[in-house]
Each structure stands twice: as structure tokens, then as C-alpha cells.
Amino acid sequence: MSTVRTADFGTGVLSRAAALLHTVLTVEALLLATAAPGLAGLLLLGPDPANLPLAAVCLLPLGPAASAAVYALHHRSRDLTDLHPARVYRRGLRLNTLPALKLWTPLLAWLTVIAFTLTHFSATGLPGWWAVLLAVIGAVCLLWGAHALVLTSLFAFRARDTARLAGYFLVRRGRVTLAAGSLLVLTAGTTALLTEALPALLAAPLLLSLLHAARPVIAETEEDFTV
């Protein structure tokens, strides 16, 4: 007679690893499906800098998709016998679409202005150090966006409060900001060396890494800024 207890099934190391893999793959597929209309539009656009505003419009669905993915990854089950990542993703998409767009839209618009200015910098007549300053501002905005993504995905704050908290944690939690920066550099480097499609194909693992790095931010927010 077998001595394996039924209650232990789904709680071992291999089961947890399988559950994580299943969740990541499912969330990745759902994220791509949600952002597919915009990603398809990007494929039709040429590399001309004049297309940057249209590219920004195509990237709008990516904000809610990434927010739903972070929500699903954070609330994932570790038990192989109780996996519902698609259901959790849909719940995250329903809860976070509007809050994510309230932050993602102005961030995307501002980054588009910066990118458009840098690609047409010779026509501006500005000194060269302005280009460096704009690049630094763009990088800081991306790091702020990483904090804002985690906060808006997991907490029901008003948009302005989320924006303020993201700015607070940008300085307060330097290690988390540095980890987010490392992920951005890694993504940019591998994209430049390999393919532009890589960030989309590895979106779920990258978001899981961001979520893991942001644990101090999540813990402090739960302790100090929620009832």
C-alpha cells in the first residue's frame, strides 16, 4: 500500500516549480493576447522617428496588460492542485485597466516627447548637454514607472497618490530602484543584440523579477499606507 499522503500532493518543491512555470507561461500568453492589437500595429510601422506618436498609441494596451500580469503573478498559487492563473489575470485586468491607463498614458506621452526630441535633436539648436539631460530624465521616468506599475497593480490608491508613492519609493528604496534599472538595462541590451520582440516574449519573467525585487516596497506600503 502506498504511504504517500494525498494531502502532500501539490506542495512539494517540484510541484511548486511546475505551478510557477504554468503560471508564468499562462500569464505570458494572456499578456501577449491583451496587447496583441497594439503589438500588431507596431509591426506595421516603419523605423522612421516620425512614427513615434503612432507607436505610443500602439503601446497603450501594454500598460493594463502588464498591470494585470503583475497582479496575477503576485496572487499566484503555489499549489499544483489549485491553479487558476487565467482567472486571476482577468480579475487583475478588470480591476486595473483604468488605474493603469491613468498613469501609463501620461508617462507614455512624456517618454514619446523625449524620444521625439532626441531623434530630432540636431534640429532643436540646443546644446549637447540637453540631450544627456533628456536621456537621464527619460531613464528616471522609466524607473518611476516601474514603481508605479507595482503599486497600481496591487493597491487601490488614487492615481495621484500612486504617483506620489512611486516618487517616494524611487528615492526611499534605492535597492529596488537599482534592481528595476538593472532589468531595464538588461532588456535594452538583449533587445539591441538579439531582437526587438524579446521584451514582449519575456515580459512575464521580467515582471516576476520586478515583483520579487519590489517586495520591500510592497511590504512597506501594506504596513504604512494601507488600513
Side-chain angles (χ1 to χ4, degrees), residues 182-200:
S182 300
L183 288 174
L184 289 174
V185 171
L186 177 63
T187 302
T190 52
T191 300
L193 293 174
L194 299 175
T195 172
E196 295 176 354
L198 193 63

Side-chain angles (χ1 to χ4, degrees), residues 21-37:
L21 180 61
H22 172 77
T23 299
V24 169
L25 291 177
T26 302
V27 169
E28 175 69 30
L30 292 170
L31 186 153
L32 291 176
T34 305

Side-chain angles (χ1 to χ4, degrees), residues 70-109:
V70 170
Y71 180 91
L73 291 170
H74 179 72
H75 293 93
R76 70 187 187 275
S77 174
R78 274 72 170 177
D79 188 347
L80 189 60
T81 64
D82 186 31
L83 297 180
H84 306 285
R87 182 190 306 171
V88 180
Y89 178 91
R90 289 193 296 269
R91 185 189 308 136
L93 190 63
R94 184 178 66 254
L95 293 173
N96 295 334
T97 292
L98 185 57
L101 284 175
K102 287 181 178 179
L103 295 173
W104 176 238
T105 302
L107 175 61
L108 194 57

Side-chain angles (χ1 to χ4, degrees), residues 17-224:
L20 176 60
L21 180 61
H22 172 77
T23 299
V24 169
L25 291 177
T26 302
V27 169
E28 175 69 30
L30 292 170
L31 186 153
L32 291 176
T34 305
L39 297 178
L42 284 178
L43 294 177
L44 298 176
L45 295 177
D48 191 338
N51 289 329
L52 282 171
L54 291 176
V57 173
C58 291
L59 287 172
L60 279 176
L62 188 60
S67 183
V70 170
Y71 180 91
L73 291 170
H74 179 72
H75 293 93
R76 70 187 187 275
S77 174
R78 274 72 170 177
D79 188 347
L80 189 60
T81 64
D82 186 31
L83 297 180
H84 306 285
R87 182 190 306 171
V88 180
Y89 178 91
R90 289 193 296 269
R91 185 189 308 136
L93 190 63
R94 184 178 66 254
L95 293 173
N96 295 334
T97 292
L98 185 57
L101 284 175
K102 287 181 178 179
L103 295 173
W104 176 238
T105 302
L107 175 61
L108 194 57
W110 177 235
L111 291 175
T112 301
V113 170
I114 292 176
F116 192 87
T117 303
L118 289 175
T119 54
H120 296 81
F121 193 77
S122 59
T124 64
L126 295 172
W129 61 269
W130 268 94
V132 178
L133 179 61
L134 285 174
V136 171
I137 292 174
V140 172
C141 288
L142 284 172
L143 294 174
W144 173 88
H147 285 287
L149 173 62
V150 172
L151 291 170
T152 199
S153 301
L154 305 182
F155 301 97
F157 298 129
R158 294 176 299 179
R160 61 185 179 184
D161 293 331
T162 301
R164 291 170 182 167
L165 276 176
Y168 166 76
F169 284 123
L170 188 66
V171 178
R172 164 73 173 169
R173 292 292 180 175
R175 289 186 178 180
V176 178
T177 302
L178 182 61
S182 300
L183 288 174
L184 289 174
V185 171
L186 177 63
T187 302
T190 52
T191 300
L193 293 174
L194 299 175
T195 172
E196 295 176 354
L198 193 63
L201 296 176
L202 296 179
L206 289 171
L207 290 174
L208 182 63
S209 299
L210 175 64
L211 191 58
H212 179 78
R215 287 182 301 176
V217 169
I218 298 170
E220 184 173 343
T221 302
E222 290 176 340
E223 182 177 352
D224 296 340

